[in-house]
Amino acid sequence: MATASNDLVSEILELKRERNAVILAHNYQTADIQELADFVGDSLGLSYKAAETDADVIAFCGVHFMGETAKIVSPSKTVVIPDMDAGCSLSDSCPADKLEEYLAAHAEKNYFVIAYINCSAGVKALADVICTSGNAVKIVESVPPGRNILFVPDQNLGAWVMEKTGRSMDLWRGNCYVHVEFTRDSIGRIRTEYPDAKVVAHPECTHAVRLLADEVCSTEKMVAYCRDNPAREFIIVTESGMLHRLRREVPDKIFIPGPTDLCSCGDCRYMKLNTLEKLRDCLATLNPEIQIPEGVRVTAERSVRRMLEISR
Ligand code: 13P
Ligand code: SF4
């Protein structure tokens, strides 16, 4: 007899067919969502998929700014997300009106603004170019020499890119509440427990944690690194959903979640708001739907397209 969960999966696949929808999922989604998505990836890969799809509906299993990015590059599609409350602490740390005020107050700097993709459409519209953790180095290197750069909203990713490129930038003081919970002590302890394991950390982690890492990279690059590296064990210092993606794609290796000082879960409370039931409901009702005022969308599209062109 079919289980409730099997029924739910069948219902979602049937709705997907009826709606001519594509299901895109970020690497931080739960295993059940990753298993039935058409594509699972990082923010960069998902942006390309959203821009290239010929589906009528994009069901985006991630957080709000990711759904917005899909709508920015695919305005004729209906973009739905399972839960409108799936926000992002990092995106919230840089509201568009505050950035606008800051730019006006520092007009003499004539900033070239690079916005990490974890931001609202309003912030994207104020930026010259967008970047993700997967292409931030390349994007920063493409900025004309001599320009003052303002990097928003993640100060940890910004500091990491400065180390990699040698280019100085002014950093917005935002961060991701999940990644700053990993500490030098918590990662140092697990490293002692698994002395042969390689430590792989996301660049949103603090400097102290990045110093303990063998590799710092985007979630997508973690898959290739762990597959190609001869080591058998890896301590993964990012959101917990990544462990499922890695275990699925690199089944012969051992993945250990990087613990925080508070718990060993590493869950993003926003990413984890999405469930199969909510995915079914958003496909059935086409609600909640991402809407962006057209003026903001068009201006934001310029900076997103610039990123997509540079990182091809
Ligand atoms: P990636 O682009 O590396 O998947 O990161 C997205 C994110 O939200 C990190 O917290
Ligand atoms: Fe935002 Fe952090 Fe969650 Fe990524 S893990 S969506 S940066 S709060």
Side-chain angles (χ1 to χ4, degrees):
M1 207 179 78
T3 63
S5 164
N6 281 345
D7 289 346
L8 187 53
V9 169
S10 312
E11 218 182 319
I12 292 169
L13 295 177
E14 180 56 22
L15 281 164
K16 188 181 86 149
R17 199 189 52 75
E18 279 170 24
R19 295 286 192 196
N20 187 27
V22 65
I23 299 174
L24 304 182
H26 187 264
N27 287 323
Y28 294 165
Q29 291 298 282
T30 49
D32 50 4
I33 293 179
Q34 289 195 30
E35 290 299 322
L36 64 63
D38 295 295
F39 178 80
V40 184
D42 69 352
S43 307
L44 183 61
L46 289 163
S47 305
Y48 279 116
K49 287 287 167 194
E52 287 159 6
T53 184
D54 53 15
D56 296 320
V57 173
I58 300 173
F60 208 117
C61 300
V63 292
H64 187 263
F65 77 82
M66 296 179 173
E68 270 193 339
T69 309
K71 185 71 182 176
I72 289 168
V73 293
S74 270
S76 62
K77 318 280 182 204
T78 300
V79 179
V80 290
I81 58 175
D83 192 319
M84 212 35 147
D85 291 333
C88 168
S89 70
L90 179 52
S91 175
D92 290 348
S93 68
C94 183
D97 58 341
K98 292 277 173 302
L99 175 58
E100 204 167 11
E101 271 169 34
Y102 185 88
L103 291 172
H106 298 83
E108 77 290 350
K109 292 256 193 178
N110 186 28
Y111 274 124
F112 188 95
V113 180
I114 304 181
Y116 183 38
I117 198 162
N118 296 40
C119 65
S120 66
V123 167
K124 287 184 175 75
L126 292 169
D128 291 284
V129 68
I130 305 305
C131 76
T132 72
S133 55
N135 62 19
V137 168
K138 202 169 179 183
I139 298 290
V140 170
E141 283 171 344
S142 75
V143 178
R147 286 295 302 270
N148 293 314
I149 303 176
L150 176 66
F151 188 93
V152 304
D154 191 86
Q155 60 183 325
N156 290 308
L157 176 71
W160 174 71
V161 182
M162 284 208 281
E163 286 158 28
K164 301 282 280 185
T165 60
R167 184 94 193 242
S168 129
M169 305 192 291
D170 291 337
L171 305 178
W172 192 267
R173 303 250 158 250
N175 60 46
C176 157
Y177 90 95
V178 180
H179 286 87
V180 298
E181 279 179 2
F182 301 110
T183 65
R184 193 174 66 158
D185 286 354
S186 72
I187 302 306
R189 276 198 304 273
I190 191 98
R191 226 192 155 153
T192 321
E193 235 180 279
Y194 296 91
D196 296 330
K198 296 280 178 206
V199 176
V200 185
H202 195 275
E204 286 172 22
C205 294
T206 62
H207 182 65
V209 167
R210 294 198 309 272
L211 280 179
L212 293 175
D214 295 286
E215 177 69 5
V216 177
C217 61
S218 73
T219 58
E220 198 59 34
K221 288 184 182 170
M222 287 181 184
V223 178
Y225 176 82
C226 296
R227 186 193 296 121
D228 299 343
N229 192 287
R232 266 192 53 72
E233 296 179 334
F234 299 86
I235 296 164
I236 303 302
V237 191
T238 192
E239 208 274 347
S240 62
M242 193 61 213
L243 275 288
H244 179 72
R245 173 82 200 279
L246 286 163
R247 287 175 181 144
R248 184 178 168 194
E249 300 228 359
V250 195
D252 54 327
K253 301 211 175 171
I254 295 161
F255 298 102
I256 302 136
T260 70
D261 271 338
L262 303 171
C263 68
S264 60
C265 61
D267 285 350
C268 168
R269 62 173 173 262
Y270 305 107
M271 288 279 180
K272 271 23 185 196
L273 281 177
N274 296 334
T275 61
L276 284 183
E277 284 80 5
K278 292 181 196 173
L279 172 58
R280 185 244 348 253
D281 294 347
C282 79
L283 279 167
T285 62
L286 296 185
N287 185 51
E289 184 187 352
I290 298 284
Q291 310 269 13
I292 307 172
E294 187 58 6
V296 175
R297 191 203 65 75
V298 169
T299 323
E301 186 173 12
R302 276 210 312 252
S303 54
V304 177
R305 294 261 170 220
R306 195 170 288 158
M307 167 188 83
L308 296 178
E309 277 154 32
I310 297 169
S311 60
R312 270 256 171 247

